[in-house]
Amino acid sequence: MATSREIDTDFLSDEIFDVLCSMCKNRGKNTDGEKFCVDCHDYFCINCVEVHSQVPVCVNHKVLDLSQVKSGTNKDLPRAPTERCDRHHHKYIDMYCHNHDDVGCSICMTIDHRSCKDIFYIPEFIQNKSYQVASREIQTRLKALAMTFNVQANKLSQDKHKLLKRKEELLDDIRKLRQEINDQLDMLEKRSVDEIEYKFKLFEGKIKDHLKQLQALKSKVPSANDKLASPHLNQAELFVHVKMAKNVESDANKCIEDISMNVTVSDIEFQPDRNLLHCLKQNKTIGMLTEKTVKTDDLLQITGGQSYCVKVMSDENECSITSACYMENGTIILADYNNNKLKRLDSHNYTITGCYNLPGKPYQICKIHETQVAVTLPSQQEIHFISVDRKMKRTKKIGTDFYCYGLAYANNHLYIFK
């Protein structure tokens, strides 16, 4: 039975032992027991034993002074457990199932261990079997568990903090995406408005031109008609006025025909892009939330490390290795960013066996052949192909229209990343 102090839990020992008052213990207090009830198998302090004696059913119980139990005058008196069952609070944990190495009250044994053969009454079992409880070993394990709980609690607290931080980052990503969508929609709206403004400006210009033509023809028609109606015309004059009148008539009819062919206001419509609306309606969200499962067993772990000097005499700056590439001949090609060099490192003795000067700062190396590598020079917007067979030399280079940083080679294809 555990108390707030370290005690000897050898139930068969005749040495002095400490016990707690059962009634005080049930109330969360640690009070030393000074009396023992043979019938109840409980220990009581001075105050609680008086309460116990006043209970009608306990009046005739045999109560012993604790010194009688310690002195061994009642060795036949079993040390009865005082821990009550969590499931059956009116019962004590006084039964032991040897088959399952588990303890419980009599009701627990009846329910959970009815098929077990080796069930014992604990006081008799520990007396007959000379059973000793290895409490110190268990206490050590429990302390280790308590420390583990603290570590796990701290880890969970950190995970919660990271989780909340990640949540805010994801929400911020959603807000940024929404802003990008809004900006794109604003741009589409502006283009549509500009198109309408342009079209209507053309229509308005045509209407103004037709009005000018009508105004000009409006004055010509009456004038031509008056000239034809004059009674003092000779044949030549009449001929001329008739031809001129026909020209006026032709111009007027053509103008009227052009006006009738114009697009009217009722013919102008705006046709929305239904595909855009359909796409927005089809999506339930503006993005997908994915979870990456990382198996810790599959992660690489560093088991050791060693520092090596890769500086050569011609280096003017401190070495800064931004990338490395392992070749099949056992050498490692290093990219020295600060010194604008590729360096060949012997992987057996970790010494530099060769260098190649580049026109810019190398960022990443990628193996593309048994004896050839590609290296990016972002500031030059170039990719250089270097033969590293014996003496390192450039075989070719390609230019890009962007700052290239990443390289990958697979299936005879070189992939370039911005």
Side-chain angles (χ1 to χ4, degrees), residues 30-269:
N30 290 340
T31 307
D32 291 335
E34 300 184 32
K35 300 289 183 179
F36 178 76
C37 177
V38 177
D39 299 280
C40 294
H41 285 182
D42 275 336
Y43 295 93
F44 301 97
C45 64
I46 295 299
N47 295 328
C48 291
V49 77
E50 294 180 1
V51 177
H52 165 269
S53 300
Q54 294 174 4
V55 178
V57 295
C58 300
V59 171
N60 296 321
H61 284 193
K62 183 178 181 179
V63 177
L64 301 177
D65 190 81
L66 200 60
S67 61
Q68 294 178 282
V69 181
K70 291 180 180 178
S71 64
T73 57
N74 290 280
K75 288 187 177 180
D76 293 334
L77 179 66
R79 297 286 179 81
T82 59
E83 190 74 25
R84 292 189 181 273
C85 180
D86 291 335
R87 295 167 58 187
H88 313 99
H89 302 289
H90 62 291
K91 292 288 187 178
Y92 292 103
I93 300 177
D94 56 0
M95 303 299 293
Y96 171 67
C97 176
H98 191 269
N99 300 108
H100 293 93
D101 194 23
D102 192 16
V103 295
C105 69
S106 57
I107 298 178
C108 290
M109 294 298 157
T110 303
I111 297 174
D112 301 330
H113 302 272
R114 65 178 66 184
S115 60
C116 297
K117 297 180 180 180
D118 300 325
I119 297 179
F120 304 93
Y121 179 54
I122 291 176
E124 294 179 354
F125 178 79
I126 63 176
Q127 191 174 38
N128 297 334
K129 301 295 183 180
S130 298
Y131 179 79
Q132 294 185 359
V133 179
S135 64
R136 295 188 184 277
E137 181 182 348
I138 295 175
Q139 286 176 350
T140 302
R141 294 201 299 265
L142 291 177
K143 288 180 181 179
L145 281 175
M147 294 178 63
T148 303
F149 288 155
N150 291 333
V151 171
Q152 292 298 323
N154 291 333
K155 182 179 181 300
L156 289 175
S157 179
Q158 294 175 3
D159 290 344
K160 179 181 178 181
H161 177 73
K162 293 179 181 179
L163 183 67
L164 294 177
K165 182 180 179 181
R166 186 56 181 161
K167 175 186 175 183
E168 290 301 320
E169 292 174 351
L170 294 177
L171 292 177
D172 188 54
D173 290 342
I174 292 176
R175 287 189 288 267
K176 288 180 180 178
L177 178 59
R178 173 59 187 272
Q179 186 60 48
E180 291 179 7
I181 294 174
N182 289 344
D183 293 342
Q184 190 64 29
L185 290 175
D186 290 342
M187 182 180 295
L188 294 177
E189 179 185 7
K190 183 179 181 304
R191 289 175 180 173
S192 297
V193 171
D194 291 344
E195 183 179 2
I196 290 176
E197 292 289 349
Y198 174 76
K199 290 289 185 183
F200 273 75
K201 190 174 182 179
L202 292 178
F203 294 150
E204 186 178 359
K206 288 183 179 180
I207 291 175
K208 288 182 178 179
D209 292 340
H210 289 317
L211 284 174
K212 289 181 181 180
Q213 293 177 13
L214 286 175
Q215 292 294 336
L217 291 171
K218 184 178 179 180
S219 61
K220 289 183 179 181
V221 171
S223 176
N225 190 47
D226 292 340
K227 290 178 180 180
L228 288 173
S230 176
H232 305 293
L233 297 177
N234 56 36
Q235 291 295 322
E237 291 175 330
L238 180 62
F239 181 81
V240 171
H241 289 317
V242 168
K243 295 300 181 183
M244 292 179 65
K246 285 184 178 180
N247 291 336
V248 170
E249 180 186 18
S250 176
D251 292 340
N253 288 331
K254 187 175 184 308
C255 179
I256 293 172
E257 182 179 357
D258 290 342
I259 292 173
S260 63
M261 294 292 291
N262 270 352
V263 177
T264 62
V265 175
S266 60
D267 294 331
I268 303 174
E269 294 182 352

Side-chain angles (χ1 to χ4, degrees), residues 270-275 277:
F270 174 72
Q271 296 291 337
D273 189 343
R274 298 296 177 184
N275 291 331
L277 293 175

Side-chain angles (χ1 to χ4, degrees), residues 330-395:
T331 61
I332 301 175
I333 308 300
L334 306 176
D336 191 339
Y337 185 84
N338 286 344
N339 292 295
N340 299 357
K341 293 178 180 178
L342 291 185
K343 297 179 177 180
R344 182 192 287 117
L345 178 70
D346 190 331
S347 61
H348 299 290
N349 52 23
Y350 293 96
T351 57
I352 299 298
T353 60
C355 294
Y356 179 78
N357 294 321
L358 294 165
K361 296 183 179 297
Y363 191 81
Q364 186 172 3
I365 308 172
C366 177
K367 175 185 172 183
I368 60 174
H369 189 264
E370 294 180 358
T371 60
Q372 192 173 37
V373 298
V375 57
T376 62
L377 278 63
S379 58
Q380 276 68 34
Q381 297 187 1
E382 294 177 347
I383 299 174
H384 288 222
F385 297 84
I386 311 297
S387 173
V388 294
D389 187 15
R390 294 180 181 177
K391 183 179 179 181
M392 287 191 287
K393 61 180 180 179
R394 190 183 71 192
T395 57

